[in-house]
């Protein structure tokens, strides 16, 4: 399902952002980005995105009480499609769960509880999916699944849920918000068209049963601080 709002606003947005050191192409991902987030539970998180040629890596470090959690995924970019080769979650430096992708075969599960599935299409984690939606103008790939390393879920409908002003780094920009349904759970995303669809918010249900919403507070793109 394709949502066209980002396409409609992008030309004007790029003109307004003319003084920023951001990628020139409409859907081009940055070479590197460092995103500092805070949450409603005052839990800090830092996500990094790196790209070299057609290779990419996404990593998110979240300091939940009693756990330093790291989510990491890497793979290749084919056109506008991010195709992970692996995804892993570590807790306090120890592997907790992971998924590895070989063709249509997915090896996944918690340590000591490995599973194998054969799936058509592509499987992503929630952070890789954020960058996928940024690159594809909020278009979900066909036959997409999402994994947390322990389980794999088919992704359902992508729904735009409006626009809103957003404050960060001492200024304000407009964001477009979306909701992605999988199984009985919902992931929420918000992107900033003015800043080449950088993910501004990510909301998800964690293992502890709480819903965490990460809100961008500071942004560096290709080595330069970005402000509205």
């Amino acid at each position: 399902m394709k949502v066209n709002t980002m396409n409609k606003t992008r030309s004007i947005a790029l003109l307004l952002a003319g003084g920023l050191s951001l990628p020139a192409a409409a859907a081009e991902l940055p070479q590197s980005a460092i995103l500092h987030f805070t949450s409603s539970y005052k839990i800090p998180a830092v996500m990094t995105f790196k790209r070299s040629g057609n290779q990419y890596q996404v990593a998110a470090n979240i300091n939940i009480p009693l756990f330093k959690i790291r989510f990491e995924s890497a793979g290749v970019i084919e056109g506008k499609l991010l195709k992970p080769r692996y995804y892993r979650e570590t807790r306090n430096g120890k592997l907790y769960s992971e998924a590895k992708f070989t063709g249509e075969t997915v090896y996944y599960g918690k340590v000591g509880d490995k599973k194998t599935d054969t799936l058509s299409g592509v499987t992503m984690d929630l952070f890789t999916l954020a960058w996928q939606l940024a690159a594809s103008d909020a278009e979900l790939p066909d036959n997409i699944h999402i994994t947390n390393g322990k389980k794999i879920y088919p992704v359902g409908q992508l729904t735009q849920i409006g626009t809103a002003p957003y404050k960060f780094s001492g200024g304000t920009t407009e964001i477009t918000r979306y909701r992605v349904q999988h199984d009985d759970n919902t992931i929420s995303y918000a992107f900033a068209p003015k800043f080449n669809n950088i993910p501004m918010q990510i909301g998800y249900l964690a293992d502890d049963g709480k819903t965490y919403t990460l809100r961008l507070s500071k942004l560096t793109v290709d080595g330069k601080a970005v402000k509205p």
Side-chain angles (χ1 to χ4, degrees), residues 6 10 24 54 58 66 68 71 108 117 136 142 145 156 172-173 178 181 183 188 213:
M6 290 184 181
R10 187 176 295 279
N54 70 335
V58 180
L66 304 180
K68 290 185 177 180
F71 305 97
Y108 66 101
D117 265 334
S136 62
D142 294 333
H145 293 75
T172 302
T173 191
Y178 298 87
Q181 200 74 32
D183 197 50
S188 61
T213 300

Side-chain angles (χ1 to χ4, degrees), residues 194-205:
K194 184 176 179 180
F195 300 114
N196 223 27
N197 293 336
I198 285 288
M200 305 293 282
Q201 291 184 0
I202 301 174
Y204 65 99
L205 179 67

Side-chain angles (χ1 to χ4, degrees), residues 176-192:
T176 307
R177 299 181 297 138
Y178 298 87
R179 181 184 296 122
V180 178
Q181 200 74 32
H182 73 86
D183 197 50
D184 293 327
N185 295 325
T186 299
I187 304 171
S188 61
Y189 293 106
F191 302 94

Side-chain angles (χ1 to χ4, degrees), residues 2-18 22-30 80 130-139 174 176 178 191-199:
K2 185 166 183 178
V3 181
N4 293 319
T5 302
M6 290 184 181
N7 285 329
K8 294 178 182 178
T9 61
R10 187 176 295 279
S11 296
I12 296 174
L14 289 175
L15 289 173
L16 293 174
L22 294 173
E28 184 180 359
L29 295 170
K80 293 183 180 181
W131 291 98
Q132 174 63 52
L133 293 174
S136 62
D137 293 340
E139 180 179 2
E174 185 179 82
T176 307
Y178 298 87
F191 302 94
K194 184 176 179 180
F195 300 114
N196 223 27
N197 293 336
I198 285 288

Side-chain angles (χ1 to χ4, degrees), residues 29-32 48-58 73-79 81-86 128:
L29 295 170
Q31 294 294 320
S32 66
T48 59
F49 177 87
K50 298 178 182 178
R51 178 169 65 91
S52 178
N54 70 335
Q55 308 288 316
Y56 78 90
Q57 182 192 67
V58 180
S73 178
V76 298
I77 304 173
E78 297 181 358
L81 180 64
L82 278 64
K83 298 185 68 175
R85 289 176 174 165
Y86 72 84
T128 299

Side-chain angles (χ1 to χ4, degrees), residues 108-197:
Y108 66 101
K110 293 172 63 175
V111 173
D113 183 23
K114 298 298 184 180
K115 308 176 183 71
T116 303
D117 265 334
T118 300
L119 301 168
S120 61
V122 63
T123 303
M124 299 180 181
D125 61 283
L126 70 92
F127 296 105
T128 299
L129 182 55
W131 291 98
Q132 174 63 52
L133 293 174
S136 62
D137 293 340
E139 180 179 2
L140 282 175
D142 294 333
N143 299 322
I144 183 172
H145 293 75
I146 195 164
T147 183
N148 57 8
K150 301 177 288 295
K151 296 181 180 180
I152 298 176
Y153 306 92
V155 174
Q157 188 175 16
L158 171 70
T159 305
Q160 182 184 329
I161 54 176
T163 60
Y166 184 88
K167 294 182 179 180
F168 83 103
S169 293
T172 302
T173 191
E174 185 179 82
I175 59 173
T176 307
R177 299 181 297 138
Y178 298 87
R179 181 184 296 122
V180 178
Q181 200 74 32
H182 73 86
D183 197 50
D184 293 327
N185 295 325
T186 299
I187 304 171
S188 61
Y189 293 106
F191 302 94
K194 184 176 179 180
F195 300 114
N196 223 27
N197 293 336

